[in-house]
Amino acid sequence: MYIYDEIDQRIIDERVTQFRDQTRRFLAGELSEDDFRPLRLQNGLYVQRHAPMLRVAIPYGHLRSQQLRKLADIARRYDRGYAHFSTRQNIQFNWPELAKVPDILAELATVQMHAIQTSGNCVRNFTSDHFAGVAQDEVIDPRPYAEIMRQWFTFHPEFAYLPRKFKMALNGATHDRAAVFVHDIGINLIHNEQGEIGAQVIVGGGLGRTPIIGSIIKPFLPWQHLLSYCDAILRVYNRYGRRDNKYKARIKILVKALGPEVFAQMVEDEWQYTKDGPSTLTQAEFDRVAAHFQPPAYQAFASDDADYQQHLQSDPAFARWASRNVHGHKQAGYAAVTLSLKRLGTAPGDVTDAQMEAAADLADDYSFGELRVSHEQNLILADVPQHALYALWQRARALNLATPNIGMLTNMIACPGGDFCALANAKSIPIAEAIAERFEDLDYLFDVGELDLNISGCMNSCGHHHVGHIGILGVDKNGSEWYQISLGGHQGYDKHGTPAAIGKVIGPSFAQDEVAGVIEKIVGVYLDQRQDEERFIDTVKRVGIDPFKERVYAKAH
Ligand code: HEM
Ligand code: SF4
């Protein structure tokens, strides 16, 4: 895990001091709303429905237990005892008091965390695979590259005032857990035929009101050129991206308007000015950063622990959890574990201070004191010995962190929606709760199998509804809250080779109290139509959306 050096620490400490003074001047009436806005946005502070919202970055999702304890402490002392994990490996506090935010930032700085560039029109937090470094399908560990890029693009003066926000994600596995095709820049780390490492560079993906799957503009970029080439992309965007209309300002609109080939050529032309210049990465620089991501002190274990196997045989509830929440690992005798933050009665991604502290204890006891945050809004213990899984499960279950639902319908992604967000058309949380209740029966849930259901409270799409196998979008109809449903979206290449796709809207929207019933009907059509082991997404792809429409909109007799 990356540990700050003196320079990193000084930068964030100074930033806290500056923001303390900016906040003081704003509260004293010396700075206007307009003057303060860019200053607060650069420090992750939104003005929301009830209170400011503070978004704290968790670069590529890595957390030490000590950092999670600090987040718990902040939730308890400065907020209402809970926080919300977002879909981009950030954590959000919904109720801080503006005057106290500099204190929160100072507390965060003591554990090497900050809220810099988590909002505003700049390069945002870098995200990656939550199983980076341990996944069995990993080809190249993306973390050193993600950290190198994070260091380069944070505070990059040229890119502090882009036409619009800019999000990058890196993936180094065959299964795309970082959603690289729906980012402004997505990077797949790959080998070429000679076995050299490079990046497949994808540009212009995004969700929001114009959802677009990104285009590959560079099939193989030698890794040494990652910074100069991405600089060139940002320069072209900074120069030609639209600034007259914020709904058309994202890079995806520019790439679409020009066509990916023309855009790629413009990047190529721009790149010639900096290619092979001082930003070219050296092996020494790579090694410096990569030294932070060495594997922990694994012990030599057999690959199939006998105790673990025995518990799988003797305890069906444990076996059920293991089948969904325990994931294969590169290292023999170890596993990665997802602590589910999706359980009945709680908004997806919400976590209490006590749960954060307990999860930090679990990390210390079972996983080398480290955790990851997934873009599906869960926590991961990445390095758990197999022999410890049974004990871990018992503790996680007592903490309500062991719902066995990863990859299934109740592992929903949802944004905060109308309960917190000022931009919302409709609430997301009650919808998520109604669906969770409807699908509480685990036998039924397991029978339905793999299914991604994503909910956004408005077309900004923070809840990734476009790429959910089932997507739910809050819409406004004459001042009341309605929900539009789409089918067939997909976040990115999975183990079956299914590529990223945007879902299709099935028809007119539904009232809040109808939604859970509609989802049940949709699942019913799947259960009737599926062949053999076919997953929901494969059935939708095979039969199209018409059979679902027919059932959902059938007139009651
Ligand atoms: C509550 C305060 C929030 C506000 C005001 C807000 C605002 C926005 C806006 C305006 C957009 C659309 C940007 C565009 O298309 O140009 C957007 C997109 C997005 N936001 Fe949020 N958001 C909030 C919370 C969240 C949360 C909680 C998450 C994660 C659960 C999140 C993750 C995202 C993602 C993934 C996108 C779409 C991807 C893209 O950028 O194309 N946001 N947000
Ligand atoms: S999708 Fe809309 S309602 Fe949900 S958090 Fe984003 S801006 Fe708010």
Side-chain angles (χ1 to χ4, degrees):
M1 169 144 186
Y2 185 75
I3 305 289
Y4 284 8
D5 63 17
E6 267 172 49
I7 299 171
D8 299 318
Q9 190 65 48
R10 194 166 68 234
I11 289 172
I12 63 162
D13 288 344
E14 284 174 359
R15 184 64 169 239
V16 173
T17 309
Q18 288 162 6
F19 191 62
R20 192 179 288 289
D21 189 51
Q22 290 157 359
T23 308
R24 183 195 59 73
R25 286 189 285 149
F26 173 66
L27 291 172
E30 294 165 27
L31 283 179
S32 69
E33 276 283 348
D34 283 351
D35 290 337
F36 187 56
R37 188 178 305 110
L39 302 173
R40 69 169 165 75
L41 285 178
Q42 283 162 4
N43 291 287
L45 199 59
Y46 282 79
V47 169
Q48 275 313 294
R49 204 162 274 255
H50 309 289
M53 181 276 279
L54 181 68
R55 182 182 289 155
V56 177
I58 305 172
Y60 36 88
H62 270 40
L63 271 178
R64 289 194 298 280
S65 55
Q66 175 209 20
Q67 294 175 314
L68 189 56
R69 284 198 187 89
K70 177 58 79 181
L71 295 170
D73 182 46
I74 290 171
R76 185 165 48 238
R77 291 196 295 127
Y78 296 95
D79 206 297
R80 297 191 177 177
Y82 71 98
H84 178 83
F85 286 109
S86 86
T87 47
R88 290 204 76 256
Q89 296 174 320
N90 295 307
I91 186 166
Q92 301 190 165
F93 292 102
N94 285 317
W95 303 95
E97 201 185 313
L98 177 56
K100 296 276 174 58
V101 171
D103 294 340
I104 301 178
L105 296 179
E107 300 253 10
L108 289 170
T110 64
V111 293
Q112 308 197 332
M113 295 187 82
H114 62 75
I116 295 162
Q117 290 187 198
T118 57
S119 48
N121 294 337
C122 53
V123 176
R124 302 285 187 91
N125 188 29
F126 279 80
T127 56
S128 188
D129 179 2
H130 44 268
F131 295 137
V134 304
Q136 283 177 330
D137 68 333
E138 186 168 87
V139 186
I140 295 155
D141 185 348
R143 295 171 302 171
Y145 302 94
E147 177 58 28
I148 287 170
M149 291 182 72
R150 185 187 77 82
Q151 294 193 8
W152 179 257
F153 285 105
T154 307
F155 293 131
H156 194 311
E158 218 178 311
F159 308 132
Y161 293 96
L162 292 166
R164 197 75 178 86
K165 57 171 134 174
F166 204 88
K167 303 178 180 177
M168 298 198 223
L170 292 92
N171 172 47
T174 50
H175 176 177
D176 173 13
R177 284 173 289 263
V180 292
F181 279 90
V182 289
H183 274 79
D184 297 293
I185 293 181
I187 302 246
N188 271 324
L189 291 159
I190 50 173
H191 289 118
N192 65 6
E193 280 171 6
Q194 290 73 45
E196 293 155 342
I197 293 176
Q200 178 193 60
V201 184
I202 301 149
V203 169
L207 301 172
R209 66 180 63 213
T210 317
I212 297 180
I213 300 297
S215 305
I216 299 170
I217 61 162
K218 193 87 177 161
F220 187 84
L221 173 77
W223 64 270
Q224 294 85 345
H225 300 300
L226 261 179
L227 299 182
S228 60
Y229 188 79
C230 290
D231 262 7
I233 295 174
L234 274 148
R235 283 182 165 196
V236 171
Y237 170 53
N238 213 4
R239 188 152 165 213
Y240 298 106
R242 287 181 63 168
R243 289 172 189 270
D244 59 326
N245 179 343
K246 79 171 188 173
Y247 300 119
K248 296 192 187 301
R250 296 286 291 268
I251 194 172
K252 63 189 171 188
I253 305 292
L254 179 67
V255 174
K256 190 167 174 231
L258 293 168
E261 295 77 17
V262 173
F263 182 82
Q265 188 54 51
M266 288 166 81
V267 171
E268 209 65 32
D269 295 345
E270 182 63 41
W271 188 34
Q272 299 315 312
Y273 294 107
T274 51
K275 185 168 183 271
D276 300 318
S279 63
T280 308
L281 286 168
T282 60
Q283 190 64 44
E285 171 62 358
F286 177 81
D287 293 345
R288 177 184 78 81
V289 176
H292 290 277
F293 299 98
Q294 294 309 307
Y298 292 128
Q299 287 175 264
F301 292 131
S303 38
D304 278 319
D305 181 75
D307 270 3
Y308 173 48
Q309 295 303 326
Q310 190 261 318
H311 285 302
L312 287 177
Q313 298 303 321
S314 62
D315 192 333
F318 174 63
R320 185 129 70 172
W321 175 76
S323 74
R324 297 307 328 178
N325 298 36
V326 174
H327 319 276
H329 200 288
K330 271 182 182 172
Q331 180 71 19
Y334 282 82
V337 171
T338 306
L339 299 174
S340 176
L341 298 181
K342 316 292 175 66
R343 61 275 187 222
L344 204 55
T346 317
D350 272 10
V351 63
T352 65
D353 56 339
Q355 281 173 327
M356 284 191 263
E357 276 169 352
D361 291 345
L362 295 180
D364 283 341
D365 293 347
Y366 300 111
S367 194
F368 299 94
E370 288 188 13
L371 304 101
R372 283 102 184 273
V373 178
S374 74
H375 104 96
E376 289 152 353
Q377 305 174 287
N378 291 311
L379 285 171
I380 314 284
L381 299 176
D383 296 293
V384 182
Q386 283 183 354
H387 67 73
L389 286 168
Y390 194 66
L392 166 61
W393 171 66
Q394 287 170 312
R395 283 177 62 183
R397 201 162 57 150
L399 296 163
N400 205 3
L401 293 173
T403 318
N405 62 354
I406 303 311
M408 300 200 295
L409 190 145
T410 57
N411 181 35
M412 286 170 269
I413 294 180
C415 76
D419 290 297
F420 297 104
C421 175
L423 304 179
N425 285 327
K427 295 193 177 71
S428 318
I429 294 171
I431 295 292
E433 276 173 0
I435 297 170
E437 241 167 68
R438 187 72 63 124
F439 288 87
E440 203 186 354
D441 182 284
L442 282 178
D443 291 330
Y444 183 45
L445 194 67
F446 270 71
D447 182 27
V448 174
E450 271 181 47
L451 205 170
D452 294 342
L453 189 152
N454 298 350
I455 312 172
S456 304
C458 77
M459 62 170 73
N460 288 323
S461 320
C462 305
H464 287 212
H465 66 279
H466 297 296
V467 290
H469 300 160
I470 300 177
I472 303 180
L473 164 67
V475 291
D476 173 82
K477 261 212 268 190
N478 306 322
S480 54
E481 301 187 2
W482 289 75
Y483 298 87
Q484 194 181 65
I485 293 183
S486 53
L487 293 179
H490 195 62
Q491 113 172 10
Y493 282 99
D494 60 12
K495 56 180 182 289
H496 303 276
T498 312
I502 306 290
K504 289 199 184 94
V505 176
I506 60 166
S509 46
F510 301 94
Q512 181 172 328
D513 59 359
E514 295 174 308
V515 175
V518 170
I519 302 304
E520 202 172 23
K521 281 186 191 160
I522 288 172
V523 170
V525 174
Y526 157 64
L527 294 176
D528 292 347
Q529 299 264 353
R530 78 172 158 194
Q531 295 176 345
D532 306 322
E533 299 287 287
E534 200 174 49
R535 299 171 304 163
F536 178 87
I537 183 67
D538 298 324
T539 303
V540 175
K541 282 174 72 175
R542 182 172 55 80
V543 304
I545 62 173
D546 288 345
F548 296 92
K549 276 166 86 158
E550 277 162 29
R551 175 91 53 100
V552 166
Y553 295 105
K555 291 266 179 294
H557 293 292

